[in-house]
Amino acid sequence: YGCSALERINLNNVKNIGSQVFQNDSALSNVGNTTKLTSVGDKAFSGCSSLAAIDLSEATVLGTSAFENCSSLKSIGSLNTGITTLNNTFYGCALEMDDVSLPNLKTFNGTVFGGCKIKKISNLGSITTWSGAYLNTQTFGDPKYLEEVTLPDTITKTPLWGFSGCVALKYIHANKLTEIGNSSLNFCESLREIPCSEQITAFNTDAPNSPYIQLIHLPVCTTYFSFETTLATILILPAI
């Protein structure tokens, strides 16, 4: 902890790393072969700003803020499908990932991928909510990069600022959505369609102002709030 001169350490046979062990070791750039690593404690590498790569392919436990502000971290191998909890895990990292698939995920909180470049999220296990994507929250990474996301059937409502600012987001795949939460689709200017529009009962967001959506048809919607749209977008609600 706080060993600012430590540059290298060999973790070849290490399976578990406790909380805060390497926190703020800002010069640490090489940790060896970590393919046996299964558990990383809270803030274990937080602030290791020189660390560019670590293999986490066997790690099923990643503690809160485990790699927070590892600003040089670009490569982690593949995320293990056994992971159940992510909380602020990679906030402030430089990860570039084409797809995130975590079929056993149950908890997904805070700025999990804040600042990272995530193009697609194909499986979020059985989470029931997440922290909104807007501004500093960036649960899904830098909102300029996310293009596609699949929500599990356990998600019935998008939270406040859910996808707000995700200007590259084209597709939201979902089966059970019934409510679009406050400001959830603001500035989603690349969105191709409103997810689950036939079953949405509450639409509490401004229109995404996407040129691909000229008509928003919500046949069973009974609640909408502060709706603003461009003249090119038409909102159709059921007759009262």
Side-chain angles (χ1 to χ4, degrees):
Y1 175 90
C3 297
S4 58
L6 180 65
E7 296 182 1
R8 290 173 172 267
I9 192 166
N10 189 335
L11 300 177
N12 287 13
N13 295 308
V14 175
K15 293 184 177 181
N16 304 295
I17 296 176
S19 298
Q20 300 179 292
V21 173
F22 300 108
Q23 186 177 8
N24 295 328
D25 290 359
S26 57
L28 183 62
S29 61
N30 191 314
V31 294
N33 184 342
T34 57
T35 54
K36 294 183 179 180
L37 189 61
T38 61
S39 175
V40 180
D42 297 347
K43 296 188 176 183
F45 291 94
S46 177
C48 292
S49 55
S50 298
L51 184 65
I54 183 171
D55 192 328
L56 298 177
S57 57
E58 294 300 316
T60 56
V61 177
L62 299 176
T64 298
S65 303
F67 296 93
E68 184 177 19
N69 292 324
C70 291
S71 55
S72 299
L73 186 60
K74 291 186 176 181
S75 175
I76 57 172
S78 59
L79 285 173
N80 192 289
T81 57
I83 291 172
T84 61
T85 301
L86 291 177
N87 189 6
N88 288 348
T89 313
F90 297 105
Y91 175 68
C93 294
L95 296 179
E96 298 182 8
M97 303 178 71
D98 289 332
D99 188 18
V100 172
S101 179
L102 298 167
N104 291 295
L105 194 64
K106 296 180 180 179
T107 304
F108 192 69
N109 289 329
T111 51
V112 177
F113 291 109
C116 302
K117 298 177 181 178
I118 310 294
K119 288 186 177 180
K120 179 182 179 181
I121 296 183
S122 60
N123 197 324
L124 288 171
S126 57
I127 67 169
T128 56
T129 190
W130 70 91
S131 300
Y134 191 58
L135 296 177
N136 292 327
T137 314
Q138 294 192 12
T139 302
F140 300 119
D142 189 322
K144 297 191 299 292
Y145 295 93
L146 184 65
E147 297 180 1
E148 184 174 358
V149 62
T150 298
L151 298 178
D153 289 351
T154 45
I155 294 286
T156 59
K157 174 185 177 180
T158 60
L160 175 67
W161 305 116
F163 295 106
S164 184
C166 293
V167 295
L169 183 60
K170 299 176 182 178
Y171 301 105
I172 302 171
H173 305 292
N175 294 319
K176 301 296 184 180
L177 272 185
T178 58
E179 182 173 348
I180 303 294
N182 289 358
S183 304
S184 282
L185 300 180
N186 290 13
F187 315 116
C188 292
E189 57 193 46
S190 299
L191 196 63
R192 273 22 182 203
E193 60 185 17
I194 302 298
C196 299
S197 59
E198 296 295 314
Q199 63 194 43
I200 294 295
T201 59
F203 192 82
N204 297 317
T205 185
D206 292 342
N209 290 338
S210 167
Y212 304 98
I213 301 176
Q214 279 76 47
L215 177 69
I216 298 177
H217 185 204
L218 304 171
V220 297
C221 183
T222 57
T223 304
Y224 70 97
F225 175 76
S226 185
F227 184 84
E228 296 180 11
T229 181
T230 63
L231 293 177
T233 304
I234 300 173
L235 173 68
I236 298 178
L237 295 169
I240 298 176

